[in-house]
Amino acid sequence: MVFKVSFYAIAAIAAFSSLSLPVSVMANQSGCVSSFDAKKDYFPDKVHVKYNPGFEITYKNNAKYISNKISGETYVLHQCGTPVPDDAKATPADSLQVGDWTKVMAVPGTKVVLDSAPASAIIEMLGTQDSVAGSYKFFAVTSACMQKKLSELPHVEQTYGTPAARRRRSSGLGNSLVRRVSYDLSKDGLQWTFTTYGMSDPRSVAINPENAADMLGKAEWIKFVAAFYNKEAEADKLFSQIEASYNAIKKAAPKTEKTVGMARYNKVANGTIVSWTVDQPQQWLVQGIADAGMKAHSGDTATYSDIDDFYKAVSGWDVLIDTSIEPLPRGGATIPQWENISGGYKFGSNKSAAESLPFFKANAIYRSDLISSYQNATDYNEHLQVQPNDLLDDLVKIAKASSGADDTKWYRNMPNEVSVNWVSPSECKN
C-alpha cells in the first residue's frame, strides 16, 4: 500500500522552550533492522500535514520518497538494513546534470553534517543532537549548546570539481559551464549534509523553511527533517503544539490599523550613505503581520537617493522593521546599533521631518537580531524559521505597544536601545 501526504510551502517561527514532547514509544525503527520482510510497513508512523511547506512525501514499505519542490531535489530514504528499492534511481555522483537530482540514503541518520541553521534548530527540537558529527567550516548558529558541540567536532570543506557542462534548456544558446560544488564527507562515515540549497552533490539535503509562503507551513519542515531520523511521531506532536499555540495567539490578537514596513539604509565601507531602500516582506511574514492584527506595506521594492523622497514613501508606516547592515572599513559587516540607525536614516539631521513619521514618534523601529552569536549568526535564521508561534507573539506585542515593545523574543527595539542578547557556548547548561 502507498501512503501519500502533500506538504505545501509556508512560513515561520516559535519558542521551543514552551514545547514538550510527551513520552511515547516510537513505532518507526530507531536503528537498522537485521532481516527484511518485503511485505512489512517499516514506517507505521507517518506525518500528517494541513499546510504547504514546499515538499511532498510518499511512504512505501521500506522507503520514503521525498520531493523538495523548492530545491528541485528528490530523496529516497530506505530503512537501514533493508535493500534499496528497485525504483530508486539515484543520479550518478559524477553526473553533469544540474538540478533535479535524485539522492538515495539509508535512515535513520546517525552521523550528519550541518550547514543549515533551521536544520540545527529542528535537530535540537527532535533531540537528535548526538547525530551531528561535523559542520561546514563557515557555519554558525546561535544555540549555546550547538555552538559548544560544533566547536568540538571536525569542520567539513567544500570541494570544487571540474566545471560541468549543461544545456541552457530555455535559451537555445548551447552549453554553459557550471562549477560543481559538494561537501567532502570522505572521513568517519559521514552520511549527508543538511544545507540550504540544492546541489550537484549526492549527499546533500536542502532545508528550505525560509522559502515557504505561510507561517505554519514553515513549521512543517520539522516533519521533513524528522523523516531522516524516523521521528515522524515526535514531529507530528511538536507541530500540533506549535499550531495550537499559534492559533490561540492569533485568536487573542488585537485589531489595529497599524501598517508595518521594511526598509534599509545602504552604506558603503567608507561610511557614506548612498541610498535608502523600501523592501517587501516575504509572504509568510505578510500573513504573520495580518494575524497579529496589523497590515504589511504593499508595493514594489524601491530605492531612493534622496532622503525626502524616502521619508515620503514611508510616511504612512506605524512600524519600521530595519534590515540594514553596518559595513566595516576593512570588509565585512556588523549589527547596527541605535546610533547607526539614527544616522543611517538621518533622523538627527532631519529632526522635524523625522518627527512627522508615525514609527519614529512611537519608538516603533525594530530589528530581528535580538538573539545573536558572536559569529554574527542570528536566531532569526535558526529557530524563528520553524517556530512561528513565538514570532506571532512578538508581532502581537509590537501591535499592542504604544511606545515601542521591549519584551519581545526576536525583535529588538532600537529607539529604546534594547541590547543584543549575545549567545556564547559558555551559556550551554545541558
Side-chain angles (χ1 to χ4, degrees), residues 115-361:
D115 192 19
S116 163
S120 176
I122 295 169
I123 284 171
E124 288 189 302
M125 294 168 71
L126 293 172
T128 57
Q129 300 95 312
D130 287 346
S131 71
V132 178
S135 65
Y136 177 50
K137 64 179 182 179
F138 296 122
F139 179 61
V141 294
T142 56
S143 164
C145 290
M146 189 61 79
Q147 286 185 54
K148 181 178 179 181
K149 182 176 183 64
L150 296 182
S151 70
E152 299 167 351
L153 294 173
H155 294 301
V156 169
E157 303 277 347
Q158 284 186 341
T159 61
Y160 299 86
T162 302
R166 71 174 171 95
R167 186 169 298 281
R168 294 179 177 175
R169 299 175 182 173
S170 60
S171 66
L173 298 178
N175 292 341
S176 62
L177 294 180
V178 178
R179 184 166 292 280
R180 294 170 53 85
V181 181
S182 61
Y183 294 93
D184 182 3
L185 306 185
S186 59
K187 298 179 180 179
D188 302 323
L190 299 174
Q191 292 171 289
W192 59 74
T193 303
F194 286 119
T195 185
T196 57
Y197 47 90
M199 298 175 64
S200 299
D201 179 347
R203 294 197 287 166
S204 67
V205 179
I207 310 298
N208 303 115
E210 71 282 358
N211 295 117
D214 181 275
M215 288 281 275
L216 284 170
K218 291 170 77 69
E220 297 277 18
W221 284 84
I222 297 170
K223 299 175 182 179
F224 181 98
V225 174
F228 287 78
Y229 290 100
N230 289 351
K231 291 275 191 176
E232 281 90 340
E234 286 84 345
D236 218 25
K237 291 169 185 172
L238 281 169
F239 179 80
S240 293
Q241 292 177 37
I242 290 173
E243 181 185 40
S245 174
Y246 186 95
N247 288 331
I249 295 168
K250 176 182 176 181
K251 185 177 181 179
K255 302 300 179 184
T256 77
E257 297 298 322
K258 290 184 177 180
T259 296
V260 180
M262 299 178 70
R264 54 191 157 91
Y265 59 86
N266 302 306
K267 180 186 288 189
V268 295
N270 67 7
T272 303
I273 308 293
V274 295
S275 61
W276 299 265
T277 298
V278 172
D279 290 316
Q280 297 305 314
Q282 291 174 275
Q283 183 57 42
W284 57 264
L285 185 54
V286 172
Q287 179 200 351
I289 290 169
D291 288 348
M294 303 181 288
K295 62 181 178 180
H297 166 76
S298 61
D300 296 330
T301 297
T303 298
Y304 303 89
S305 58
D306 182 84
I307 189 63
D308 292 327
D309 291 338
F310 172 74
Y311 281 175
K312 183 177 180 180
V314 302
S315 61
W317 294 6
D318 301 286
V319 177
L320 166 63
I321 298 176
D322 174 68
T323 59
S324 306
I325 60 172
E326 189 65 23
L328 298 173
R330 296 185 179 181
T334 188
I335 292 176
Q337 303 300 329
W338 172 239
E339 178 184 10
N340 306 121
I341 297 293
S342 182
Y345 291 110
K346 298 189 180 297
F347 292 146
S349 57
N350 293 270
K351 190 171 183 180
S352 60
E355 289 177 344
S356 69
L357 302 172
F359 60 81
F360 183 83
K361 290 191 295 184

Side-chain angles (χ1 to χ4, degrees), residues 352-399:
S352 60
E355 289 177 344
S356 69
L357 302 172
F359 60 81
F360 183 83
K361 290 191 295 184
N363 290 338
I365 303 172
Y366 301 88
R367 288 182 55 83
S368 61
D369 54 15
L370 182 55
I371 302 176
S372 297
S373 75
Y374 291 102
Q375 292 76 36
N376 280 338
T378 70
D379 208 41
Y380 183 89
N381 296 319
E382 198 169 329
H383 290 86
L384 176 144
Q385 290 299 324
V386 293
Q387 295 178 266
N389 53 317
D390 277 4
L391 172 60
L392 182 61
D393 190 53
D394 268 14
L395 293 172
V396 167
K397 289 175 179 177
I398 290 172

